[in-house]
Amino acid sequence: MNTRQPSTQNPYQEVLVSPMYLAGSNGTGDAGFAPVAHWPHHYLDEGPCQLLVTSPDQRIRIGWFGDFELWKITASEEAVSAPRWTATFNHVTPAEIVAGLTTALAHDYVEADAYEGNGRFLASPSLYWADAVRPLTDAGWTRDGGAELGTVEIIAPDGQAGVLIDNRRSRRDDEAVELWAGPPGWGTRAEAVFSARTPSHLIAATAAAMADPAPVARERHQIHREVEHLVSLASVGPIAPQVPRAPTPLDVRRTAVTQAVHRAARSPRTAADLRIMAARSRTKVSAQNRSSNPAPALGARPPATPAASRHSR
């Protein structure tokens, strides 16, 4: 793990951050929206929701908000019916984790039959809590024996992330599963919460994204100072400089003309400069004449004679 970075380093330098679940948000939702970029987008001027992306039949809704609960994702049997389940992601959650859920939703929607009103994204959750978090246990996350009665908690090997499953839920809107990462605090703790009827495979898809060991790109200032010592940072390699190609004869002519025009505009001292300015002036006058007498559109018809006014009945 890295120690706190010196203040002399460029705060806008792009770095690769791992583990990804401690990278925080980069301020945009691009990664989360990418799997559904082809779905209808609704930009809202009023209300807390700034952007709403829906499936074509509007049964799946992905909302981007400007407050603590940055993301709110729901699925319904019909476009006008109440949500069957809800998932929320707070403002610290990396959008790459949200992408785990939106990718699964896009896949489910493609395979659903709109006329049957079905879809795997509306499936009932598994009876076994382990199905929803299997990607985490497969990645070496272990169960915490100190969890409250009726709950299950699984912790990452570094102790900086986990999942809490509440089996005491009684209503379908109750919060059933919470994925978390980072130290407690407004700007440090990422949280993803799923309601009781969320299909297990969708929670598992989100958990799989969370357990992905691949680093994500962030600018240095986007890493919270209280998290810096918990992550590993690797500088993004500089872009290899392009070898300039030899100019073609056309490039040479274009450059010469451009330079001549610039010289003439600044100080027309030579005969060549005066000829250039005269040519530019003639071109400008010609263009003005064309604009004042526009040519008729192709296929345009002459104006029709006004018809006699009709008498009212």
Side-chain angles (χ1 to χ4, degrees), residues 129 142-155 163-168 180:
W129 60 261
T142 56
R143 185 169 179 175
D144 182 3
E148 295 182 17
L149 184 64
T151 68
V152 176
E153 188 165 16
I154 298 175
I155 306 297
V163 56
L164 178 64
I165 303 170
D166 191 345
N167 293 316
R168 301 168 299 182
W180 61 269

Side-chain angles (χ1 to χ4, degrees), residues 26-307:
N26 65 352
T28 73
D30 293 349
F33 284 117
V36 293
H38 55 293
W39 285 4
H41 286 47
H42 311 274
Y43 296 91
L44 309 176
D45 296 329
E46 298 181 0
C49 184
Q50 301 171 9
L51 171 63
L52 181 65
V53 175
T54 67
S55 58
D57 62 6
Q58 297 192 0
R59 289 192 292 167
I60 301 174
R61 299 186 174 214
I62 304 169
W64 169 269
F65 295 73
D67 54 10
F68 177 76
E69 289 184 348
L70 189 58
W71 300 80
K72 184 175 182 180
I73 302 175
T74 65
S76 308
E77 284 84 356
E78 298 177 358
V80 295
S81 60
R84 180 179 178 88
W85 58 263
T86 301
T88 60
F89 299 81
N90 75 347
H91 66 296
V92 181
T93 307
E96 292 84 356
I97 293 178
V98 182
L101 176 56
T102 55
T103 299
L105 286 173
H107 182 268
D108 285 357
Y109 184 79
V110 169
E111 296 191 340
D113 188 337
Y115 295 99
E116 295 294 333
N118 62 358
R120 197 175 176 213
F121 58 87
L122 296 172
S124 297
S126 172
L127 297 175
Y128 306 99
W129 60 261
D131 291 340
V133 296
R134 194 169 304 281
L136 302 180
T137 54
D138 289 348
W141 295 35
T142 56
R143 185 169 179 175
D144 182 3
E148 295 182 17
L149 184 64
T151 68
V152 176
E153 188 165 16
I154 298 175
I155 306 297
D158 63 1
Q160 297 301 322
V163 56
L164 178 64
I165 303 170
D166 191 345
N167 293 316
R168 301 168 299 182
R169 58 190 184 274
S170 57
R171 299 177 303 174
R172 69 177 190 176
D173 294 333
D174 287 346
E175 297 179 354
V177 178
E178 177 185 348
L179 290 164
W180 61 269
W186 172 263
T188 55
R189 174 64 65 95
E191 295 177 352
V193 180
F194 301 86
S195 62
R197 298 182 71 184
T198 307
S200 299
H201 77 282
L202 295 180
I203 300 175
T206 311
M210 192 169 181
D212 189 344
V216 293
R218 294 289 187 270
E219 293 178 356
R220 284 188 178 273
H221 69 92
Q222 294 171 337
I223 308 300
H224 198 281
R225 62 181 180 274
E226 295 182 15
V227 179
E228 285 179 346
H229 67 287
L230 300 174
V231 298
S232 295
L233 303 180
S235 299
V236 176
I239 300 176
Q242 296 182 350
V243 179
R245 62 177 176 83
T248 65
L250 179 59
D251 293 334
V252 174
R253 289 197 298 272
R254 286 174 175 170
T255 301
V257 171
T258 301
Q259 292 174 347
V261 170
H262 288 170
R263 288 197 306 270
R266 290 195 303 268
S267 179
R269 288 190 292 266
T270 67
D273 291 340
L274 291 173
R275 286 197 298 272
I276 290 171
M277 289 198 69
R280 293 179 66 191
S281 178
R282 288 194 298 272
T283 302
K284 182 177 181 180
V285 171
S286 176
Q288 290 175 346
N289 290 336
R290 287 196 301 269
S291 63
S292 62
N293 298 286
L298 292 176
R301 298 180 180 179
T305 304

